[in-house]
Amino acid sequence: AHSVAAVIRAQRGEWETAGVHVLRAREAAHAVGDVGAIGAASIAQQFVAMARGDLEGVIAAAAATRASGRKEFFCIAGTYDWRCLEIEALIGLGRLSEAAAALTEMETDLSVFGPAAARTAAATLRADLALAGGHTVAATAEIMDAWEHAQNLQAPLLLAQLEITEARQLRQAGEPA
């Protein structure tokens, strides 16, 4: 419960309260030795770090999620957001080869059976990665792929992120956004 509360508070900009929830989530998870809960607390920390613009903090929290030994579980359970945050942070830090490797790993774990939202997020991140590397044509192809996966999705934030990426691609190509 504290992990979820931390994410909500972080998204609202309530840093102190979010931090307390992360601390409580970690304490509870370690008290019972539940690696799934430890991973969930690390994911909550990623959300708090990203909301604060702390990209290095996102990377550190992602490393803790990986260290939980349950990274695949979080993807299978539909909690792939931790990887998206990690990849966004790597792109933001200009660590493009690491971002590409993390994205390939995410896509491998999702395979063709991953949820449409996860495949949409992955294609959007591939477009972001292509744009960061100056590859406008590749970004265009990834955006088209993302829109294909996004058919009938009821995920306003994910669709908005895709639209923002597409607008950046259009600006980079010299077209009106």
Side-chain angles (χ1 to χ4, degrees):
H2 281 292
S3 294
V4 173
V7 172
I8 292 167
R9 299 300 186 179
Q11 298 299 324
R12 291 181 181 167
E14 299 171 11
W15 317 124
E16 190 173 319
T17 304
V20 169
H21 281 295
V22 168
L23 180 64
R24 297 290 181 257
R26 267 199 206 115
E27 289 171 349
H30 286 286
V32 296
D34 181 349
V35 293
I38 292 168
S42 298
I43 292 169
Q45 180 61 50
Q46 278 185 274
F47 274 94
V48 172
M50 183 60 87
R52 294 187 82 152
D54 176 11
L55 300 181
E56 291 291 349
V58 173
I59 302 303
T65 303
R66 288 177 183 287
S68 75
R70 300 287 299 268
K71 69 178 185 67
E72 290 83 7
F73 167 78
F74 290 117
C75 278
I76 293 167
T79 312
Y80 60 88
D81 291 340
W82 75 273
R83 288 185 142 167
C84 294
L85 292 172
E86 175 188 34
I87 295 162
E88 285 178 39
L90 288 167
I91 292 170
L93 292 168
R95 294 162 56 179
L96 303 185
S97 62
E98 290 175 68
L103 184 52
T104 297
E105 181 183 42
M106 175 183 156
E107 290 174 321
T108 298
D109 287 344
L110 289 172
S111 72
V112 294
F113 300 108
R119 291 193 313 269
T120 302
T124 302
L125 287 166
R126 276 235 177 262
D128 289 338
L129 186 59
L131 289 171
H135 307 289
T136 308
V137 174
T140 302
E142 293 298 341
I143 289 167
M144 291 172 57
D145 189 41
W147 280 118
E148 186 174 312
H149 293 305
Q151 295 298 315
N152 302 315
L153 269 184
Q154 299 296 315
L157 179 58
L158 182 58
L159 295 174
Q161 289 170 323
L162 174 53
E163 288 176 354
I164 289 167
T165 295
E166 185 172 30
R168 282 197 330 240
Q169 178 271 329
L170 290 171
R171 281 194 309 273
Q172 191 168 327
E175 299 177 33

